[in-house]
Every structure is written in structure tokens, then in C-alpha cells.
Amino acid sequence: MKSIHWLVPYQINHNQDISNKNVASIRLRAGLFNLPCFNDFTVSFNENIYDIDEIDYLFVGKFAGNREDLVNTWVEIINLHRGNGKKIFFDYTDHHLDKDTLAGQFYRASLNSNDQIITSSEKLKNHLSPNFKNITIIEDPIEIQIEKVKKSKESSFLFFGHHTNLKYLFNLINNWNSKIQSNLIIQTSEEGMDEIRNQSQHISKPSNLNIQFQLWSIENMLKASTNVSGIIIPGDISDDRKNGVSHNRLITAFALGLPVAATRYQSYLEFDHQFVDIDNQTEFENFLQNPSLYSSRVEMAQKKVKNYTQENIAKKWFNLIK
């Protein structure tokens, strides 16, 4: 039986379920290797490998920007595996290669022009194409059931996301122009909660906006989605770190059955005209006042979202080593 190992920046015990990890790069990518199409392989996940000669396929997950201790360890593992004449697959979901970051240092030291690179968006592939030839796009899947479209005229909204997206949300709140009373639920990680506490003095919350903070989890997100009338996904297409994002949050929002206002990232444009341009002040104001006007767009989007089930995306990963 062939073996697959995922390098991930976490200690994960044998047979431990990784589907509940609050890290999308594990849950939505490495986690798919626990699905039935990989039953004929032994699959392991860890930040190290104890017998490199036993590994047939090495997948390198997203490098953690705070793990300086892993740079040399991972580079050594990769070079040993490459020296055995075996393929290496890099899951490249953030553009760090030309950045002065710890992750950038790692990728410059470890990536080889002949390695197989998997990106989560066309934009990331374009960043890499001048220097690498073996690039495959594998999108993030949805991880929830597709809900019936919800229609509500209330001005109540949900934001969920990684702490690195909070700066875009803070900017949006500081420029919140709606004249009507609105509610906003913000769901993020523990790290995000710390950032909110640290930045609270710099956030100019308007008096007509009531904000509630919650830890993100699938369960909390599903619960909150029943009490809101739309989802907001602010961003910045001029930010090189973010303009290659996957469509994960957008398809999740549509799967929740809710109208969406979002920044027009390239990976979102498959759903062009099915979400509101959050950076267009007039469009966004109309969305805030009556999000139910955009419910029919959600129904159209959900027909495409059905293509991104975990089973369908797992087959794309399987085809890499088929």
C-alpha cells in the first residue's frame, strides 16, 4: 500500500480527526485525504516525518509564518525526499515567495522548478507561472450542506474570517455610511479576538451599528446564519498577500443561503453579478438597506456551488497521484 504524508505545522496524533481544525489549509485541503477515494493509501499528517524512506508521496502544506523552528526541518525533509527521486507536492495558498517573511524564506529555500505546485486560485498560479511549470489549480470545497435561500429585510449581517482579514473589516466599519440601524456579528479566531481587543481604540464604530463578537466555528457560523440577512466579505484587491485568495468564504456564504456583499477578488468572479460589490458605495448602501433584493442571485450562485463538494474536490487531489 502506497503512503502519503502531509507536512502541516502541527503535531497531530495517529488517527486524529483533522476535520475540526480551525485552519482552512488543513480542514479544506489536507483534510480531504481522509475521504474514501484515498482508502487505498496510508495517509498521515504531522510537522515531521520519522521514516522518510517509507513515504511515497510528500505533500507540503501551508507554512506557518511563526514557526521559525520548522524552516530547516522541512527543508531537510524535502531535500531527502527529493534525493530519493520521489515527487513533492506543494500546496501554495498564500503568495509569500517574493516577500520578506519567514514563509517567503522557506519557499525560496525549498521550491524546485520541477516540483508539483497546487494553488487555490488562478491569480496565485499567475504569480508563479514565470518561474514554475507544474502548477495545478485545486479550489477549496464547501464543508457544509447547501441551505435554502433566506430572505429577510432586516439589516443584520455576518462577517466570518481569519484574523488577517480584520483590517479590511475595521476599515469598512470606520467608513460605515448607512443611515439605518444595523446589526453585525463578527466571528473570528482566538487570535482575531486578541487583535480586536488591541485595536478597539482605533475603531470608530457608528452609533447606528450594533456589533457582537463570537469565536468562529462551523457550529457557531451555522447558528448565526439563521439570525442574519446577509454576509459581508470586505477585502482589498491591491493587497498582493490577499488578491490570490481562494473562493472559500464566498461559496460558504452562498451555501448558507444568504446574499453577499464582497470585494471583487479574481477567484470570486466566477460568481460575478451574483454578489454585491462591497467597494461600490451605492451598491453596498442598497444591500445594507434591503439585502432580500439580492436573494435571487443566491439561487443562481448555488447552482455553481454544487460543483465544489468535498467529494468532487478530493477527486482532483487524487488525480495528481493517480
Side-chain angles (χ1 to χ4, degrees):
M1 182 179 285
K2 296 284 188 178
S3 63
I4 298 169
H5 184 82
W6 269 87
L7 281 177
V8 294
Y10 303 92
Q11 286 283 358
I12 298 177
N13 298 327
H14 182 61
N15 292 329
Q16 181 180 345
D17 181 13
I18 67 170
S19 62
N20 62 355
K21 277 281 182 184
N22 280 1
V23 182
S25 58
I26 293 183
R27 281 194 337 275
L28 302 180
R29 302 185 74 78
L32 298 183
F33 282 60
N34 282 329
L35 293 183
C37 63
F38 291 99
N39 282 351
D40 290 336
F41 297 84
T42 59
V43 183
S44 56
F45 314 85
N46 215 312
E47 64 182 32
N48 213 322
I49 298 177
Y50 302 105
D51 191 348
I52 188 68
D53 294 331
E54 295 296 317
I55 303 302
D56 296 295
Y57 303 99
L58 178 64
F59 284 78
V60 182
K62 180 179 177 178
F63 189 82
N66 60 348
R67 293 296 305 274
E68 185 174 2
D69 59 306
L70 285 184
V71 174
N72 291 335
T73 300
W74 280 23
V75 169
E76 182 179 355
I77 289 170
I78 289 164
N79 287 337
L80 285 171
H81 191 77
R82 187 179 284 126
N84 288 339
K86 298 177 180 179
K87 277 191 174 182
I88 300 172
F89 303 83
F90 285 84
D91 190 26
Y92 190 82
T93 56
D94 273 330
H95 188 43
H96 283 280
L97 193 59
D98 59 357
K99 302 293 188 299
D100 185 21
T101 61
L102 190 62
Q105 175 188 334
F106 164 72
Y107 287 116
R108 286 189 294 273
S110 58
L111 270 171
N112 184 297
S113 60
N114 292 319
D115 292 328
Q116 178 71 53
I117 303 174
I118 302 95
T119 68
S120 54
S121 70
E122 183 73 34
K123 188 74 172 180
L124 275 178
K125 179 179 179 179
N126 292 342
H127 283 314
L128 297 172
S129 291
N131 299 306
F132 300 93
K133 56 186 178 181
N134 301 318
I135 307 172
T136 303
I137 300 171
I138 299 183
E139 304 88 349
D140 287 344
I142 54 171
E143 55 185 335
I144 59 173
Q145 296 296 316
I146 296 177
E147 306 277 335
K148 284 188 63 175
V149 176
K150 303 175 180 69
K151 299 179 182 180
S152 171
K153 292 184 179 180
E154 294 183 6
S155 186
S156 182
F157 305 96
L158 171 66
F159 166 92
F160 59 89
H162 191 264
H163 73 275
T164 55
N165 294 301
L166 286 173
K167 61 182 178 181
Y168 311 123
L169 178 65
F170 297 158
N171 184 59
L172 181 70
I173 290 173
N174 286 334
N175 294 283
W176 194 272
N177 292 320
S178 179
K179 306 295 190 294
I180 62 176
Q181 187 68 37
S182 302
N183 298 310
L184 175 62
I185 298 173
I186 299 174
Q187 291 188 349
T188 187
S189 62
E190 290 276 11
E191 192 171 358
M193 289 295 190
D194 290 339
E195 185 168 337
I196 289 168
R197 285 187 281 269
N198 293 334
Q199 295 294 322
S200 59
Q201 69 272 23
H202 303 298
I203 304 172
S204 179
K205 184 182 79 65
S207 59
N208 62 328
L209 179 62
N210 177 56
I211 299 178
Q212 180 181 354
F213 299 102
Q214 298 175 356
L215 280 174
W216 181 89
S217 67
I218 292 177
E219 181 181 359
N220 287 346
M221 180 180 67
L222 290 171
K223 183 177 180 180
S225 72
T226 64
N227 298 313
V228 299
S229 45
I231 291 177
I232 59 173
I233 310 176
D236 183 356
I237 58 173
S238 66
D239 186 338
D240 280 345
R241 278 285 308 278
K242 286 295 181 180
N243 66 9
V245 296
S246 76
H247 62 197
N248 169 250
R249 283 196 295 161
L250 183 66
I251 64 171
T252 298
F254 285 137
L256 289 169
L258 288 163
V260 186
T263 289
R264 288 168 52 82
Y265 287 123
Q266 182 173 317
S267 61
Y268 288 14
L269 296 185
E270 177 188 356
F271 299 91
D272 202 11
H273 306 302
Q274 284 144 35
F275 65 93
V276 171
D277 181 0
I278 202 169
D279 301 305
N280 181 306
Q281 184 175 334
T282 301
E283 280 192 37
F284 185 49
E285 178 65 23
N286 291 336
F287 175 82
L288 291 177
Q289 291 188 18
N290 193 352
S292 66
L293 292 175
Y294 304 92
S295 297
S296 61
R297 301 190 187 188
V298 181
E299 294 173 357
M300 292 186 288
Q302 285 186 343
K303 294 176 182 177
K304 300 176 185 176
V305 170
K306 291 176 181 177
N307 296 324
Y308 298 106
T309 63
Q310 292 186 351
E311 290 74 19
N312 285 344
I313 301 302
K315 289 175 184 176
K316 292 189 176 184
W317 286 101
F318 178 78
N319 286 337
L320 287 175
I321 57 178
K322 185 177 177 181

PDB file of all heavy atoms in Angstrom, residues 157-184:
ATOM      1  N   PHE A 157     -26.169  41.458   9.726  1.00  0.00           N
ATOM      2  CA  PHE A 157     -25.156  40.867   8.864  1.00  0.00           C
ATOM      3  C   PHE A 157     -24.116  40.056   9.652  1.00  0.00           C
ATOM      4  O   PHE A 157     -23.957  40.229  10.857  1.00  0.00           O
ATOM      5  CB  PHE A 157     -24.466  41.965   8.043  1.00  0.00           C
ATOM      6  CG  PHE A 157     -25.443  42.782   7.265  1.00  0.00           C
ATOM      7  CD1 PHE A 157     -25.916  43.982   7.778  1.00  0.00           C
ATOM      8  CD2 PHE A 157     -25.938  42.329   6.055  1.00  0.00           C
ATOM      9  CE1 PHE A 157     -26.858  44.722   7.079  1.00  0.00           C
ATOM     10  CE2 PHE A 157     -26.872  43.058   5.356  1.00  0.00           C
ATOM     11  CZ  PHE A 157     -27.341  44.262   5.866  1.00  0.00           C
ATOM     12  N   LEU A 158     -23.439  39.190   8.909  1.00  0.00           N
ATOM     13  CA  LEU A 158     -22.412  38.313   9.486  1.00  0.00           C
ATOM     14  C   LEU A 158     -21.102  38.512   8.743  1.00  0.00           C
ATOM     15  O   LEU A 158     -21.068  38.524   7.512  1.00  0.00           O
ATOM     16  CB  LEU A 158     -22.853  36.853   9.386  1.00  0.00           C
ATOM     17  CG  LEU A 158     -21.811  35.777   9.738  1.00  0.00           C
ATOM     18  CD1 LEU A 158     -21.436  35.857  11.217  1.00  0.00           C
ATOM     19  CD2 LEU A 158     -22.346  34.375   9.402  1.00  0.00           C
ATOM     20  N   PHE A 159     -20.026  38.665   9.497  1.00  0.00           N
ATOM     21  CA  PHE A 159     -18.661  38.593   8.970  1.00  0.00           C
ATOM     22  C   PHE A 159     -17.984  37.413   9.639  1.00  0.00           C
ATOM     23  O   PHE A 159     -18.028  37.269  10.861  1.00  0.00           O
ATOM     24  CB  PHE A 159     -17.872  39.867   9.290  1.00  0.00           C
ATOM     25  CG  PHE A 159     -16.383  39.724   9.064  1.00  0.00           C
ATOM     26  CD1 PHE A 159     -15.820  40.069   7.851  1.00  0.00           C
ATOM     27  CD2 PHE A 159     -15.545  39.216  10.061  1.00  0.00           C
ATOM     28  CE1 PHE A 159     -14.443  39.919   7.641  1.00  0.00           C
ATOM     29  CE2 PHE A 159     -14.183  39.062   9.859  1.00  0.00           C
ATOM     30  CZ  PHE A 159     -13.631  39.413   8.641  1.00  0.00           C
ATOM     31  N   PHE A 160     -17.332  36.541   8.854  1.00  0.00           N
ATOM     32  CA  PHE A 160     -16.504  35.487   9.435  1.00  0.00           C
ATOM     33  C   PHE A 160     -15.204  35.421   8.650  1.00  0.00           C
ATOM     34  O   PHE A 160     -15.186  35.610   7.439  1.00  0.00           O
ATOM     35  CB  PHE A 160     -17.225  34.125   9.425  1.00  0.00           C
ATOM     36  CG  PHE A 160     -17.623  33.629   8.061  1.00  0.00           C
ATOM     37  CD1 PHE A 160     -16.765  32.861   7.284  1.00  0.00           C
ATOM     38  CD2 PHE A 160     -18.883  33.930   7.546  1.00  0.00           C
ATOM     39  CE1 PHE A 160     -17.135  32.401   6.033  1.00  0.00           C
ATOM     40  CE2 PHE A 160     -19.270  33.470   6.296  1.00  0.00           C
ATOM     41  CZ  PHE A 160     -18.395  32.703   5.531  1.00  0.00           C
ATOM     42  N   GLY A 161     -14.107  35.182   9.365  1.00  0.00           N
ATOM     43  CA  GLY A 161     -12.848  35.116   8.642  1.00  0.00           C
ATOM     44  C   GLY A 161     -11.629  35.088   9.538  1.00  0.00           C
ATOM     45  O   GLY A 161     -11.688  35.345  10.740  1.00  0.00           O
ATOM     46  N   HIS A 162     -10.512  34.755   8.913  1.00  0.00           N
ATOM     47  CA  HIS A 162      -9.202  34.718   9.546  1.00  0.00           C
ATOM     48  C   HIS A 162      -8.841  36.102  10.067  1.00  0.00           C
ATOM     49  O   HIS A 162      -9.302  37.128   9.537  1.00  0.00           O
ATOM     50  CB  HIS A 162      -8.175  34.252   8.502  1.00  0.00           C
ATOM     51  CG  HIS A 162      -6.840  33.906   9.045  1.00  0.00           C
ATOM     52  ND1 HIS A 162      -5.790  34.804   9.044  1.00  0.00           N
ATOM     53  CD2 HIS A 162      -6.368  32.771   9.611  1.00  0.00           C
ATOM     54  CE1 HIS A 162      -4.720  34.227   9.574  1.00  0.00           C
ATOM     55  NE2 HIS A 162      -5.045  32.997   9.928  1.00  0.00           N
ATOM     56  N   HIS A 163      -8.014  36.154  11.110  1.00  0.00           N
ATOM     57  CA  HIS A 163      -7.687  37.445  11.721  1.00  0.00           C
ATOM     58  C   HIS A 163      -7.004  38.405  10.753  1.00  0.00           C
ATOM     59  O   HIS A 163      -7.081  39.629  10.920  1.00  0.00           O
ATOM     60  CB  HIS A 163      -6.821  37.248  12.971  1.00  0.00           C
ATOM     61  CG  HIS A 163      -5.409  36.836  12.679  1.00  0.00           C
ATOM     62  ND1 HIS A 163      -5.039  35.523  12.469  1.00  0.00           N
ATOM     63  CD2 HIS A 163      -4.274  37.576  12.556  1.00  0.00           C
ATOM     64  CE1 HIS A 163      -3.742  35.471  12.242  1.00  0.00           C
ATOM     65  NE2 HIS A 163      -3.253  36.689  12.285  1.00  0.00           N
ATOM     66  N   THR A 164      -6.342  37.864   9.698  1.00  0.00           N
ATOM     67  CA  THR A 164      -5.678  38.744   8.737  1.00  0.00           C
ATOM     68  C   THR A 164      -6.678  39.523   7.880  1.00  0.00           C
ATOM     69  O   THR A 164      -6.285  40.458   7.176  1.00  0.00           O
ATOM     70  CB  THR A 164      -4.739  37.939   7.815  1.00  0.00           C
ATOM     71  OG1 THR A 164      -5.480  36.880   7.188  1.00  0.00           O
ATOM     72  CG2 THR A 164      -3.581  37.349   8.604  1.00  0.00           C
ATOM     73  N   ASN A 165      -7.941  39.144   7.919  1.00  0.00           N
ATOM     74  CA  ASN A 165      -8.977  39.873   7.171  1.00  0.00           C
ATOM     75  C   ASN A 165      -9.636  40.974   8.002  1.00  0.00           C
ATOM     76  O   ASN A 165     -10.439  41.742   7.471  1.00  0.00           O
ATOM     77  CB  ASN A 165     -10.053  38.900   6.687  1.00  0.00           C
ATOM     78  CG  ASN A 165      -9.537  37.920   5.659  1.00  0.00           C
ATOM     79  OD1 ASN A 165      -9.058  38.319   4.605  1.00  0.00           O
ATOM     80  ND2 ASN A 165      -9.611  36.642   5.971  1.00  0.00           N
ATOM     81  N   LEU A 166      -9.292  41.051   9.289  1.00  0.00           N
ATOM     82  CA  LEU A 166      -9.965  42.009  10.164  1.00  0.00           C
ATOM     83  C   LEU A 166      -9.645  43.460   9.794  1.00  0.00           C
ATOM     84  O   LEU A 166     -10.480  44.346   9.974  1.00  0.00           O
ATOM     85  CB  LEU A 166      -9.594  41.741  11.620  1.00  0.00           C
ATOM     86  CG  LEU A 166     -10.230  40.507  12.260  1.00  0.00           C
ATOM     87  CD1 LEU A 166      -9.640  40.260  13.639  1.00  0.00           C
ATOM     88  CD2 LEU A 166     -11.752  40.660  12.360  1.00  0.00           C
ATOM     89  N   LYS A 167      -8.452  43.702   9.277  1.00  0.00           N
ATOM     90  CA  LYS A 167      -8.098  45.097   8.952  1.00  0.00           C
ATOM     91  C   LYS A 167      -9.033  45.663   7.891  1.00  0.00           C
ATOM     92  O   LYS A 167      -9.352  46.858   7.911  1.00  0.00           O
ATOM     93  CB  LYS A 167      -6.642  45.191   8.495  1.00  0.00           C
ATOM     94  CG  LYS A 167      -6.291  44.390   7.250  1.00  0.00           C
ATOM     95  CD  LYS A 167      -4.805  44.536   6.920  1.00  0.00           C
ATOM     96  CE  LYS A 167      -4.419  43.705   5.702  1.00  0.00           C
ATOM     97  NZ  LYS A 167      -2.971  43.830   5.393  1.00  0.00           N
ATOM     98  N   TYR A 168      -9.495  44.800   6.969  1.00  0.00           N
ATOM     99  CA  TYR A 168     -10.437  45.263   5.958  1.00  0.00           C
ATOM    100  C   TYR A 168     -11.800  45.554   6.585  1.00  0.00           C
ATOM    101  O   TYR A 168     -12.485  46.498   6.194  1.00  0.00           O
ATOM    102  CB  TYR A 168     -10.582  44.224   4.847  1.00  0.00           C
ATOM    103  CG  TYR A 168      -9.265  43.719   4.301  1.00  0.00           C
ATOM    104  CD1 TYR A 168      -8.945  42.369   4.318  1.00  0.00           C
ATOM    105  CD2 TYR A 168      -8.323  44.609   3.778  1.00  0.00           C
ATOM    106  CE1 TYR A 168      -7.745  41.899   3.838  1.00  0.00           C
ATOM    107  CE2 TYR A 168      -7.109  44.150   3.292  1.00  0.00           C
ATOM    108  CZ  TYR A 168      -6.816  42.802   3.324  1.00  0.00           C
ATOM    109  OH  TYR A 168      -5.618  42.352   2.837  1.00  0.00           O
ATOM    110  N   LEU A 169     -12.171  44.739   7.543  1.00  0.00           N
ATOM    111  CA  LEU A 169     -13.434  44.953   8.247  1.00  0.00           C
ATOM    112  C   LEU A 169     -13.385  46.239   9.067  1.00  0.00           C
ATOM    113  O   LEU A 169     -14.338  47.024   9.067  1.00  0.00           O
ATOM    114  CB  LEU A 169     -13.751  43.759   9.146  1.00  0.00           C
ATOM    115  CG  LEU A 169     -15.035  43.868   9.979  1.00  0.00           C
ATOM    116  CD1 LEU A 169     -16.255  43.914   9.067  1.00  0.00           C
ATOM    117  CD2 LEU A 169     -15.144  42.707  10.959  1.00  0.00           C
ATOM    118  N   PHE A 170     -12.266  46.466   9.777  1.00  0.00           N
ATOM    119  CA  PHE A 170     -12.133  47.689  10.571  1.00  0.00           C
ATOM    120  C   PHE A 170     -12.257  48.920   9.670  1.00  0.00           C
ATOM    121  O   PHE A 170     -12.887  49.913  10.038  1.00  0.00           O
ATOM    122  CB  PHE A 170     -10.792  47.718  11.301  1.00  0.00           C
ATOM    123  CG  PHE A 170     -10.596  46.618  12.309  1.00  0.00           C
ATOM    124  CD1 PHE A 170      -9.322  46.232  12.705  1.00  0.00           C
ATOM    125  CD2 PHE A 170     -11.687  45.963  12.871  1.00  0.00           C
ATOM    126  CE1 PHE A 170      -9.142  45.231  13.647  1.00  0.00           C
ATOM    127  CE2 PHE A 170     -11.511  44.959  13.814  1.00  0.00           C
ATOM    128  CZ  PHE A 170     -10.242  44.588  14.195  1.00  0.00           C
ATOM    129  N   ASN A 171     -11.643  48.848   8.508  1.00  0.00           N
ATOM    130  CA  ASN A 171     -11.718  49.979   7.576  1.00  0.00           C
ATOM    131  C   ASN A 171     -13.152  50.209   7.120  1.00  0.00           C
ATOM    132  O   ASN A 171     -13.614  51.354   7.014  1.00  0.00           O
ATOM    133  CB  ASN A 171     -10.809  49.718   6.371  1.00  0.00           C
ATOM    134  CG  ASN A 171     -10.776  50.889   5.414  1.00  0.00           C
ATOM    135  OD1 ASN A 171     -10.397  51.999   5.788  1.00  0.00           O
ATOM    136  ND2 ASN A 171     -11.178  50.659   4.178  1.00  0.00           N
ATOM    137  N   LEU A 172     -13.868  49.123   6.874  1.00  0.00           N
ATOM    138  CA  LEU A 172     -15.269  49.237   6.454  1.00  0.00           C
ATOM    139  C   LEU A 172     -16.118  49.857   7.560  1.00  0.00           C
ATOM    140  O   LEU A 172     -16.951  50.738   7.306  1.00  0.00           O
ATOM    141  CB  LEU A 172     -15.814  47.854   6.083  1.00  0.00           C
ATOM    142  CG  LEU A 172     -17.267  47.804   5.593  1.00  0.00           C
ATOM    143  CD1 LEU A 172     -17.385  48.435   4.211  1.00  0.00           C
ATOM    144  CD2 LEU A 172     -17.774  46.364   5.565  1.00  0.00           C
ATOM    145  N   ILE A 173     -15.900  49.400   8.788  1.00  0.00           N
ATOM    146  CA  ILE A 173     -16.669  49.931   9.922  1.00  0.00           C
ATOM    147  C   ILE A 173     -16.385  51.419  10.117  1.00  0.00           C
ATOM    148  O   ILE A 173     -17.296  52.217  10.382  1.00  0.00           O
ATOM    149  CB  ILE A 173     -16.341  49.139  11.206  1.00  0.00           C
ATOM    150  CG1 ILE A 173     -16.917  47.720  11.103  1.00  0.00           C
ATOM    151  CG2 ILE A 173     -16.905  49.846  12.434  1.00  0.00           C
ATOM    152  CD1 ILE A 173     -16.500  46.804  12.239  1.00  0.00           C
ATOM    153  N   ASN A 174     -15.120  51.814   9.964  1.00  0.00           N
ATOM    154  CA  ASN A 174     -14.753  53.223  10.127  1.00  0.00           C
ATOM    155  C   ASN A 174     -15.404  54.109   9.066  1.00  0.00           C
ATOM    156  O   ASN A 174     -15.518  55.332   9.257  1.00  0.00           O
ATOM    157  CB  ASN A 174     -13.234  53.390  10.074  1.00  0.00           C
ATOM    158  CG  ASN A 174     -12.550  52.909  11.339  1.00  0.00           C
ATOM    159  OD1 ASN A 174     -13.150  52.887  12.409  1.00  0.00           O
ATOM    160  ND2 ASN A 174     -11.295  52.518  11.219  1.00  0.00           N
ATOM    161  N   ASN A 175     -15.812  53.500   7.956  1.00  0.00           N
ATOM    162  CA  ASN A 175     -16.432  54.261   6.868  1.00  0.00           C
ATOM    163  C   ASN A 175     -17.878  53.822   6.629  1.00  0.00           C
ATOM    164  O   ASN A 175     -18.396  53.970   5.526  1.00  0.00           O
ATOM    165  CB  ASN A 175     -15.615  54.077   5.582  1.00  0.00           C
ATOM    166  CG  ASN A 175     -14.229  54.683   5.689  1.00  0.00           C
ATOM    167  OD1 ASN A 175     -14.058  55.895   5.593  1.00  0.00           O
ATOM    168  ND2 ASN A 175     -13.229  53.836   5.907  1.00  0.00           N
ATOM    169  N   TRP A 176     -18.505  53.282   7.663  1.00  0.00           N
ATOM    170  CA  TRP A 176     -19.881  52.775   7.555  1.00  0.00           C
ATOM    171  C   TRP A 176     -20.818  53.956   7.330  1.00  0.00           C
ATOM    172  O   TRP A 176     -20.966  54.819   8.193  1.00  0.00           O
ATOM    173  CB  TRP A 176     -20.242  52.038   8.844  1.00  0.00           C
ATOM    174  CG  TRP A 176     -21.466  51.179   8.779  1.00  0.00           C
ATOM    175  CD1 TRP A 176     -22.738  51.567   9.022  1.00  0.00           C
ATOM    176  CD2 TRP A 176     -21.521  49.779   8.498  1.00  0.00           C
ATOM    177  NE1 TRP A 176     -23.601  50.496   8.894  1.00  0.00           N
ATOM    178  CE2 TRP A 176     -22.865  49.377   8.579  1.00  0.00           C
ATOM    179  CE3 TRP A 176     -20.553  48.826   8.180  1.00  0.00           C
ATOM    180  CZ2 TRP A 176     -23.286  48.076   8.359  1.00  0.00           C
ATOM    181  CZ3 TRP A 176     -20.958  47.520   7.961  1.00  0.00           C
ATOM    182  CH2 TRP A 176     -22.300  47.149   8.048  1.00  0.00           C
ATOM    183  N   ASN A 177     -21.466  53.992   6.169  1.00  0.00           N
ATOM    184  CA  ASN A 177     -22.257  55.169   5.795  1.00  0.00           C
ATOM    185  C   ASN A 177     -23.766  54.962   5.899  1.00  0.00           C
ATOM    186  O   ASN A 177     -24.533  55.877   5.630  1.00  0.00           O
ATOM    187  CB  ASN A 177     -21.921  55.592   4.358  1.00  0.00           C
ATOM    188  CG  ASN A 177     -20.503  56.131   4.240  1.00  0.00           C
ATOM    189  OD1 ASN A 177     -20.045  56.840   5.113  1.00  0.00           O
ATOM    190  ND2 ASN A 177     -19.812  55.763   3.179  1.00  0.00           N
ATOM    191  N   SER A 178     -24.178  53.773   6.258  1.00  0.00           N
ATOM    192  CA  SER A 178     -25.613  53.518   6.289  1.00  0.00           C
ATOM    193  C   SER A 178     -26.296  54.398   7.331  1.00  0.00           C
ATOM    194  O   SER A 178     -25.805  54.600   8.431  1.00  0.00           O
ATOM    195  CB  SER A 178     -25.870  52.045   6.609  1.00  0.00           C
ATOM    196  OG  SER A 178     -27.261  51.799   6.666  1.00  0.00           O
ATOM    197  N   LYS A 179     -27.465  54.899   6.959  1.00  0.00           N
ATOM    198  CA  LYS A 179     -28.237  55.759   7.871  1.00  0.00           C
ATOM    199  C   LYS A 179     -29.189  54.940   8.740  1.00  0.00           C
ATOM    200  O   LYS A 179     -29.785  55.478   9.662  1.00  0.00           O
ATOM    201  CB  LYS A 179     -29.055  56.770   7.055  1.00  0.00           C
ATOM    202  CG  LYS A 179     -28.241  57.605   6.077  1.00  0.00           C
ATOM    203  CD  LYS A 179     -27.261  58.526   6.800  1.00  0.00           C
ATOM    204  CE  LYS A 179     -26.630  59.513   5.846  1.00  0.00           C
ATOM    205  NZ  LYS A 179     -25.758  58.881   4.836  1.00  0.00           N
ATOM    206  N   ILE A 180     -29.327  53.654   8.441  1.00  0.00           N
ATOM    207  CA  ILE A 180     -30.291  52.844   9.177  1.00  0.00           C
ATOM    208  C   ILE A 180     -29.602  52.056  10.289  1.00  0.00           C
ATOM    209  O   ILE A 180     -28.393  51.837  10.259  1.00  0.00           O
ATOM    210  CB  ILE A 180     -31.043  51.873   8.236  1.00  0.00           C
ATOM    211  CG1 ILE A 180     -30.065  50.906   7.586  1.00  0.00           C
ATOM    212  CG2 ILE A 180     -31.823  52.635   7.185  1.00  0.00           C
ATOM    213  CD1 ILE A 180     -30.740  49.849   6.721  1.00  0.00           C
ATOM    214  N   GLN A 181     -30.373  51.627  11.260  1.00  0.00           N
ATOM    215  CA  GLN A 181     -29.838  50.820  12.355  1.00  0.00           C
ATOM    216  C   GLN A 181     -29.482  49.429  11.843  1.00  0.00           C
ATOM    217  O   GLN A 181     -30.303  48.760  11.204  1.00  0.00           O
ATOM    218  CB  GLN A 181     -30.872  50.708  13.478  1.00  0.00           C
ATOM    219  CG  GLN A 181     -30.364  50.032  14.736  1.00  0.00           C
ATOM    220  CD  GLN A 181     -29.309  50.845  15.466  1.00  0.00           C
ATOM    221  OE1 GLN A 181     -29.388  52.074  15.526  1.00  0.00           O
ATOM    222  NE2 GLN A 181     -28.308  50.175  16.005  1.00  0.00           N
ATOM    223  N   SER A 182     -28.269  48.982  12.118  1.00  0.00           N
ATOM    224  CA  SER A 182     -27.807  47.682  11.619  1.00  0.00           C
ATOM    225  C   SER A 182     -27.161  46.881  12.739  1.00  0.00           C
ATOM    226  O   SER A 182     -26.630  47.450  13.710  1.00  0.00           O
ATOM    227  CB  SER A 182     -26.786  47.860  10.484  1.00  0.00           C
ATOM    228  OG  SER A 182     -27.324  48.599   9.420  1.00  0.00           O
ATOM    229  N   ASN A 183     -27.189  45.559  12.573  1.00  0.00           N
ATOM    230  CA  ASN A 183     -26.511  44.648  13.489  1.00  0.00           C
ATOM    231  C   ASN A 183     -25.434  43.885  12.728  1.00  0.00           C
ATOM    232  O   ASN A 183     -25.644  43.504  11.572  1.00  0.00           O
ATOM    233  CB  ASN A 183     -27.503  43.654  14.100  1.00  0.00           C
ATOM    234  CG  ASN A 183     -28.579  44.339  14.917  1.00  0.00           C
ATOM    235  OD1 ASN A 183     -28.280  45.172  15.766  1.00  0.00           O
ATOM    236  ND2 ASN A 183     -29.830  44.003  14.657  1.00  0.00           N
ATOM    237  N   LEU A 184     -24.311  43.664  13.368  1.00  0.00           N
ATOM    238  CA  LEU A 184     -23.208  42.936  12.735  1.00  0.00           C
ATOM    239  C   LEU A 184     -22.625  41.932  13.716  1.00  0.00           C
ATOM    240  O   LEU A 184     -22.211  42.295  14.821  1.00  0.00           O
ATOM    241  CB  LEU A 184     -22.115  43.917  12.287  1.00  0.00           C
ATOM    242  CG  LEU A 184     -20.832  43.312  11.714  1.00  0.00           C
ATOM    243  CD1 LEU A 184     -21.128  42.509  10.451  1.00  0.00           C
ATOM    244  CD2 LEU A 184     -19.807  44.409  11.428  1.00  0.00           C
TER     245      LEU A 184
END
